[in-house]
Amino acid sequence: MQNRVREIDYLKCVFIVLMVVFHLVYVGDRFPYAKQVVYTFHMPAFLLISGYLANMDKGLGKLARQVKWLFVPYAVMETGYVVMASVLPIREHIEQLTPAVFLDKLLLHPLGPYWYLHTLMVCYVIYYCASRMRPRLGTAGAVCLMGVAMWAAADLLHVVSMSNAIYFMAGAVIRQCGIRFMSAFSPTLLAAVPFALFCIVSPDGLDRFTLQGAAMTWLAVSLALAVYPYLGNKVKTATHFIGANTLAILLFSPIFTIITKTFVPFFAFDPTAMSYTLVSVAFVLAGSLGIAFVMDRLKLSQWFSGKPLYNGLQHL
């Protein structure tokens, strides 16, 4: 914990909060264009960070444990989500849950936000295998091998989306080239200008798997980093805290975003939906972190994720 990069925790906070905001059905329905804009860059930025932070200088045993402790919480939460989708009238509703459908969702096409963990596991394995060939092929050769393997996993095996894998690869390449993450961006408030122009002039390009999507992701990170120095110390501490707990928020937030649907009638007085959004996001974050805290206290985390889920301020 002592080696955490504060700016990266801050970025993770920004993008996980955006994820929560636009997983609120009420917000997404009221502001579909804003949702489309955010979906262009927020998870690509997360994958970029994940690729950069992935450390492949380890033995096969350590990699296997890392993947195992991603798969266990993924399998538990994805199973719950799939079962829920077969019962509740949600957008991802499953008409008939059969063993084949269940295995398809668990192993190939996950529902809900858990696709991110599924993608991460696939990318870790491919990245590790490619990195083992780096001494023979060199950095460029290993990157090309990783790209071919990602393409095969996406287009032939259909176990990952190339539009997601390519951002993980970009982060991995930054790391392999020995470039500091923050040095790969040019923090400037002026990034807001081209970002806004993309949104206004080229709304058809709001797709992560386009050059415009990649540019918007870079601009979003650059803009977020430019804002960081202007934040007060207390705000920075709060962002570090949330950014250090993104796994717990990703895992448990669907439980609470469903509950927030019941909040809507109480905020009918606010046409902007801002009060609903603020209360709901706070509720989702508190609930997710509360579950993580309780699981740590009950020592359930060691069986669920292999490590503590809750990173309190004292650990940062």
Side-chain angles (χ1 to χ4, degrees):
M1 289 296 176
Q2 310 237 339
N3 297 322
R4 300 193 75 95
V5 179
R6 300 303 191 193
E7 290 86 352
I8 289 182
D9 275 338
Y10 157 73
L11 289 173
K12 289 167 66 181
C13 168
V14 170
F15 298 124
I16 200 71
V17 168
L18 285 174
M19 184 204 80
V20 171
V21 168
F22 286 98
H23 277 185
L24 301 172
V25 174
Y26 181 62
V27 175
D29 287 346
R30 284 183 64 87
F31 307 103
Y33 184 68
K35 179 177 179 179
Q36 189 180 4
V37 170
V38 169
Y39 271 46
T40 302
F41 69 84
H42 78 313
M43 293 313 290
F46 241 119
L47 288 162
L48 191 70
I49 293 169
S50 296
Y52 177 80
L53 294 178
N55 179 13
M56 294 296 123
D57 296 329
K58 60 181 71 173
L60 182 60
K62 288 186 177 180
L63 174 76
R65 283 193 293 274
Q66 186 175 12
V67 172
K68 168 189 172 183
W69 291 118
L70 282 176
F71 180 77
V72 172
Y74 161 78
V76 172
M77 300 308 295
E78 179 65 16
T79 296
Y81 199 97
V82 169
V83 172
M84 179 193 70
S86 69
V87 176
L88 299 177
I90 62 174
R91 289 179 178 174
E92 297 174 299
H93 179 69
I94 297 174
E95 291 294 338
Q96 186 175 6
L97 182 58
T98 64
V101 169
F102 171 75
L103 290 175
D104 175 74
K105 300 304 180 188
L106 181 66
L107 302 178
L108 298 175
H109 307 112
L111 296 178
Y114 306 118
W115 66 264
Y116 173 78
L117 296 179
H118 182 273
T119 295
L120 213 55
M121 289 184 283
V122 173
C123 289
Y124 275 169
V125 172
I126 292 175
Y127 184 19
Y128 180 84
C129 293
S131 68
R132 296 303 93 187
M133 300 301 294
R134 187 180 179 188
R136 295 183 182 180
L137 302 178
T139 299
V143 168
C144 290
L145 179 62
M146 179 167 59
V148 171
M150 292 288 190
W151 170 83
D155 281 19
L156 301 181
L157 301 178
H158 306 292
V159 295
V160 70
S161 166
M162 194 63 191
S163 64
N164 292 321
I166 199 166
Y167 286 98
F168 179 93
M169 281 183 56
V173 169
I174 292 172
R175 183 186 183 99
Q176 290 298 319
C177 291
I179 302 171
R180 290 181 64 253
F181 187 83
M182 263 61 69
S183 299
F185 302 89
S186 301
T188 172
L189 295 175
L190 292 176
V193 177
F195 186 91
L197 286 174
F198 277 132
C199 296
I200 297 169
V201 177
S202 183
D204 293 337
L206 297 177
D207 183 340
R208 67 185 67 178
F209 202 34
T210 62
L211 288 177
Q212 178 176 320
M216 289 181 66
T217 300
W218 188 89
L219 289 167
V221 174
S222 175
L223 181 59
L225 287 173
V227 170
Y228 181 74
Y230 297 98
L231 302 178
N233 289 333
K234 290 184 178 179
V235 175
K236 285 183 178 179
T237 299
T239 64
H240 301 157
F241 170 64
I242 294 172
N245 284 282
T246 51
L247 177 60
I249 296 168
L250 177 74
L251 287 170
F252 304 126
S253 61
I255 299 171
F256 299 97
T257 53
I258 291 175
I259 298 173
T260 59
K261 291 181 180 180
T262 64
F263 296 178
V264 174
F266 300 104
F267 294 93
F269 66 88
D270 181 7
T272 68
M274 286 302 298
S275 55
Y276 167 83
T277 302
L278 291 172
V279 170
S280 296
V281 169
F283 174 74
V284 172
L285 294 181
S288 301
L289 295 175
I291 289 179
F293 178 80
V294 170
M295 289 184 70
D296 283 1
R297 288 291 182 177
L298 297 178
K299 301 190 182 302
L300 297 175
S301 298
Q302 60 184 322
W303 305 103
F304 183 71
S305 59
K307 62 181 180 180
L309 278 167
Y310 178 79
N311 293 307
L313 288 172
Q314 70 273 20
H315 301 303
L316 300 180

